[in-house]
Structures are given as C-alpha cells and as structure tokens.
Amino acid sequence: MKKSIFFFFCLLISFVSADELKNNKIKELLKTTNTIDISKQYADQIIVQYKKMFPTVPNEMWDEFAKEITNKDFEALLIKLYDHNYTEKEIDALLTFYSSEEGQSIIKKMPIVLSKSMQIGAMWGKLTAKKIYDKIIAKGYKPVEI
C-alpha cells in the first residue's frame, strides 16, 4: 500500500513538472516572438481610441488605466491556448525556428503583415458584401427596412 501511494505521488510530481516545463517553454516562446510586448502596444492603442471617445477624462485617469493593464493576464490566457493546441515537441520546433535569424526577421515583419492583412480583409469583406448585395438586388429582392 505504501509503495502504491509513493508511486502515485512520484507520478503526480512528474506530471506537474512536465506541465511546468512545457509552460516555461511557452513563456520562452512568447518572449522570443515578442507576443507579450505586442499586447502592450495593443492596450496602448485601445487607450488612445478611448481618449478620443472621452476627451474630458483627465490624463491621470488614463495613466491609471495604463498601469492597471498587465501582461500577466494576457500571458496566462496565451499559455493555456498554446498548451491546449501545441504539443511540447511543436513548442520546441517553434522555439528553434523563431530563435533563428529567419524567425527573428519574420517576427520583425509580422506587425506590418498583420496590419496590412486586416486592411486587405476589411476591403475584401466590403467587396464581397457588395457583390452579394448587387446580385440579390439584381434578382429583384428588396432589403427589409429597419
């Protein structure tokens, strides 16, 4: 009985250690890809947008919001996401790639590519919606007035 309990305890510790090891690798990957730093930039952009919406809010309040926004919550959510979707072997491969010269080059270009992709996606969405709308109208259907 004591051997069974000891074995179970050792097995439990090895699972905890394996999970902790994988989580540490994920944290390293997030750091290597500057993902957490980018989240801070997005948070700053959100504050800029809200400042435009609420111009009478004093700067001290915006400074307070900026201090309250921490990357730890975002990091914890990303760790769960990566843990759920990637194996440890895949995390290792991503770390190897993003630590390489080519990987670092891609990381530097990623914000521009993502921004342009979003613009292209919005433009494509408008064009696609217009095509659908025009075809429906051409067939004689009328939209419901709201």
mmCIF file of all heavy atoms in Angstrom, residues 1 10 12 19 24 37 50-51 62 64 70-71 74 82 96 129 140 146:
data_model
loop_
_atom_site.group_PDB
_atom_site.id
_atom_site.type_symbol
_atom_site.label_atom_id
_atom_site.label_comp_id
_atom_site.label_asym_id
_atom_site.label_seq_id
_atom_site.Cartn_x
_atom_site.Cartn_y
_atom_site.Cartn_z
ATOM 1 N N MET A 1 0.819 -1.187 0.000
ATOM 2 C CA MET A 1 0.000 0.000 0.000
ATOM 3 C C MET A 1 0.868 1.259 0.000
ATOM 4 O O MET A 1 0.603 2.192 -0.732
ATOM 5 C CB MET A 1 -0.941 -0.035 1.210
ATOM 6 C CG MET A 1 -1.834 1.163 1.335
ATOM 7 S SD MET A 1 -3.048 1.139 0.024
ATOM 8 C CE MET A 1 -4.048 2.485 0.507
ATOM 9 N N CYS A 10 4.940 10.113 -6.818
ATOM 10 C CA CYS A 10 6.024 10.367 -7.780
ATOM 11 C C CYS A 10 5.464 10.643 -9.175
ATOM 12 O O CYS A 10 5.944 11.531 -9.890
ATOM 13 C CB CYS A 10 6.983 9.180 -7.838
ATOM 14 S SG CYS A 10 7.987 9.012 -6.348
ATOM 15 N N LEU A 12 2.515 11.886 -9.857
ATOM 16 C CA LEU A 12 1.886 13.204 -9.790
ATOM 17 C C LEU A 12 2.927 14.310 -9.924
ATOM 18 O O LEU A 12 2.739 15.264 -10.675
ATOM 19 C CB LEU A 12 1.111 13.350 -8.475
ATOM 20 C CG LEU A 12 0.340 14.647 -8.279
ATOM 21 C CD1 LEU A 12 -0.753 14.786 -9.321
ATOM 22 C CD2 LEU A 12 -0.272 14.678 -6.881
ATOM 23 N N ASP A 19 4.226 19.590 -16.929
ATOM 24 C CA ASP A 19 3.378 20.740 -17.263
ATOM 25 C C ASP A 19 4.124 22.045 -17.043
ATOM 26 O O ASP A 19 4.042 22.956 -17.869
ATOM 27 C CB ASP A 19 2.097 20.738 -16.411
ATOM 28 C CG ASP A 19 1.086 19.706 -16.883
ATOM 29 O OD1 ASP A 19 1.229 19.188 -18.001
ATOM 30 O OD2 ASP A 19 0.137 19.426 -16.122
ATOM 31 N N ASN A 24 6.891 26.743 -19.161
ATOM 32 C CA ASN A 24 8.098 27.576 -19.231
ATOM 33 C C ASN A 24 8.577 27.734 -20.672
ATOM 34 O O ASN A 24 9.031 28.807 -21.069
ATOM 35 C CB ASN A 24 9.204 27.008 -18.348
ATOM 36 C CG ASN A 24 8.933 27.231 -16.873
ATOM 37 O OD1 ASN A 24 8.160 28.111 -16.503
ATOM 38 N ND2 ASN A 24 9.542 26.417 -16.035
ATOM 39 N N ASP A 37 4.975 41.798 -25.570
ATOM 40 C CA ASP A 37 5.253 43.221 -25.822
ATOM 41 C C ASP A 37 4.240 43.812 -26.800
ATOM 42 O O ASP A 37 3.803 44.953 -26.648
ATOM 43 C CB ASP A 37 6.665 43.403 -26.375
ATOM 44 C CG ASP A 37 7.736 43.064 -25.342
ATOM 45 O OD1 ASP A 37 7.425 43.086 -24.135
ATOM 46 O OD2 ASP A 37 8.865 42.779 -25.750
ATOM 47 N N TYR A 50 -9.981 55.298 -26.754
ATOM 48 C CA TYR A 50 -10.921 55.743 -25.720
ATOM 49 C C TYR A 50 -10.698 57.209 -25.353
ATOM 50 O O TYR A 50 -11.643 57.923 -25.027
ATOM 51 C CB TYR A 50 -10.837 54.852 -24.482
ATOM 52 C CG TYR A 50 -11.772 53.667 -24.580
ATOM 53 C CD1 TYR A 50 -11.334 52.465 -25.121
ATOM 54 C CD2 TYR A 50 -13.087 53.760 -24.159
ATOM 55 C CE1 TYR A 50 -12.190 51.381 -25.238
ATOM 56 C CE2 TYR A 50 -13.946 52.683 -24.272
ATOM 57 C CZ TYR A 50 -13.502 51.496 -24.812
ATOM 58 O OH TYR A 50 -14.359 50.440 -24.936
ATOM 59 N N LYS A 51 -9.459 57.649 -25.427
ATOM 60 C CA LYS A 51 -9.188 59.068 -25.173
ATOM 61 C C LYS A 51 -9.929 59.938 -26.185
ATOM 62 O O LYS A 51 -10.423 61.011 -25.838
ATOM 63 C CB LYS A 51 -7.678 59.363 -25.261
ATOM 64 C CG LYS A 51 -6.907 59.055 -24.018
ATOM 65 C CD LYS A 51 -5.447 59.480 -24.221
ATOM 66 C CE LYS A 51 -4.660 59.399 -22.944
ATOM 67 N NZ LYS A 51 -3.277 59.861 -23.114
ATOM 68 N N TRP A 62 -6.213 58.147 -17.379
ATOM 69 C CA TRP A 62 -5.661 57.301 -18.447
ATOM 70 C C TRP A 62 -4.353 56.668 -17.995
ATOM 71 O O TRP A 62 -4.084 55.503 -18.297
ATOM 72 C CB TRP A 62 -5.461 58.099 -19.733
ATOM 73 C CG TRP A 62 -6.748 58.631 -20.299
ATOM 74 C CD1 TRP A 62 -7.090 59.931 -20.480
ATOM 75 C CD2 TRP A 62 -7.877 57.865 -20.723
ATOM 76 N NE1 TRP A 62 -8.358 60.020 -20.999
ATOM 77 C CE2 TRP A 62 -8.863 58.768 -21.168
ATOM 78 C CE3 TRP A 62 -8.154 56.493 -20.797
ATOM 79 C CZ2 TRP A 62 -10.103 58.353 -21.661
ATOM 80 C CZ3 TRP A 62 -9.394 56.086 -21.288
ATOM 81 C CH2 TRP A 62 -10.345 57.004 -21.713
ATOM 82 N N GLU A 64 -3.620 55.904 -14.982
ATOM 83 C CA GLU A 64 -4.007 54.859 -14.026
ATOM 84 C C GLU A 64 -4.439 53.597 -14.769
ATOM 85 O O GLU A 64 -4.053 52.481 -14.403
ATOM 86 C CB GLU A 64 -5.152 55.376 -13.145
ATOM 87 C CG GLU A 64 -5.553 54.435 -12.036
ATOM 88 C CD GLU A 64 -6.679 55.039 -11.188
ATOM 89 O OE1 GLU A 64 -6.614 56.240 -10.874
ATOM 90 O OE2 GLU A 64 -7.613 54.282 -10.873
ATOM 91 N N THR A 70 -2.064 44.787 -17.232
ATOM 92 C CA THR A 70 -0.853 43.975 -17.096
ATOM 93 C C THR A 70 -0.836 42.891 -18.154
ATOM 94 O O THR A 70 -1.882 42.431 -18.619
ATOM 95 C CB THR A 70 -0.773 43.315 -15.701
ATOM 96 O OG1 THR A 70 -1.837 42.364 -15.587
ATOM 97 C CG2 THR A 70 -0.877 44.349 -14.592
ATOM 98 N N ASN A 71 0.344 42.511 -18.514
ATOM 99 C CA ASN A 71 0.513 41.450 -19.496
ATOM 100 C C ASN A 71 0.343 40.065 -18.884
ATOM 101 O O ASN A 71 0.218 39.087 -19.606
ATOM 102 C CB ASN A 71 1.895 41.562 -20.139
ATOM 103 C CG ASN A 71 2.038 42.834 -20.933
ATOM 104 O OD1 ASN A 71 1.065 43.421 -21.371
ATOM 105 N ND2 ASN A 71 3.263 43.273 -21.115
ATOM 106 N N PHE A 74 -2.932 38.401 -19.893
ATOM 107 C CA PHE A 74 -2.845 38.025 -21.303
ATOM 108 C C PHE A 74 -1.924 36.825 -21.475
ATOM 109 O O PHE A 74 -2.254 35.878 -22.196
ATOM 110 C CB PHE A 74 -2.353 39.231 -22.109
ATOM 111 C CG PHE A 74 -2.329 39.014 -23.596
ATOM 112 C CD1 PHE A 74 -3.493 38.751 -24.289
ATOM 113 C CD2 PHE A 74 -1.138 39.086 -24.306
ATOM 114 C CE1 PHE A 74 -3.482 38.556 -25.668
ATOM 115 C CE2 PHE A 74 -1.114 38.897 -25.674
ATOM 116 C CZ PHE A 74 -2.286 38.628 -26.350
ATOM 117 N N TYR A 82 -1.801 27.983 -26.057
ATOM 118 C CA TYR A 82 -0.689 27.247 -26.663
ATOM 119 C C TYR A 82 -0.612 25.829 -26.095
ATOM 120 O O TYR A 82 -0.371 24.881 -26.840
ATOM 121 C CB TYR A 82 0.633 27.978 -26.415
ATOM 122 C CG TYR A 82 0.898 29.142 -27.339
ATOM 123 C CD1 TYR A 82 -0.022 30.167 -27.518
ATOM 124 C CD2 TYR A 82 2.099 29.239 -28.031
ATOM 125 C CE1 TYR A 82 0.223 31.239 -28.357
ATOM 126 C CE2 TYR A 82 2.369 30.307 -28.875
ATOM 127 C CZ TYR A 82 1.416 31.303 -29.031
ATOM 128 O OH TYR A 82 1.668 32.362 -29.865
ATOM 129 N N THR A 96 12.861 26.788 -31.831
ATOM 130 C CA THR A 96 14.030 26.657 -32.696
ATOM 131 C C THR A 96 13.910 27.597 -33.895
ATOM 132 O O THR A 96 14.851 28.329 -34.217
ATOM 133 C CB THR A 96 14.194 25.197 -33.180
ATOM 134 O OG1 THR A 96 14.378 24.357 -32.033
ATOM 135 C CG2 THR A 96 15.370 25.044 -34.123
ATOM 136 N N ALA A 129 -19.333 41.648 -49.831
ATOM 137 C CA ALA A 129 -20.681 42.019 -49.401
ATOM 138 C C ALA A 129 -21.404 42.772 -50.519
ATOM 139 O O ALA A 129 -22.594 42.537 -50.767
ATOM 140 C CB ALA A 129 -20.611 42.861 -48.133
ATOM 141 N N GLY A 140 -34.153 41.089 -58.001
ATOM 142 C CA GLY A 140 -35.445 41.691 -57.670
ATOM 143 C C GLY A 140 -35.819 41.650 -56.184
ATOM 144 O O GLY A 140 -36.916 42.059 -55.825
ATOM 145 N N ILE A 146 -35.138 48.777 -41.703
ATOM 146 C CA ILE A 146 -35.020 48.693 -40.243
ATOM 147 C C ILE A 146 -35.309 50.046 -39.640
ATOM 148 O O ILE A 146 -34.980 51.068 -40.068
ATOM 149 C CB ILE A 146 -33.619 48.216 -39.839
ATOM 150 C CG1 ILE A 146 -33.377 46.840 -40.432
ATOM 151 C CG2 ILE A 146 -33.467 48.187 -38.337
ATOM 152 C CD1 ILE A 146 -31.978 46.304 -40.215
#
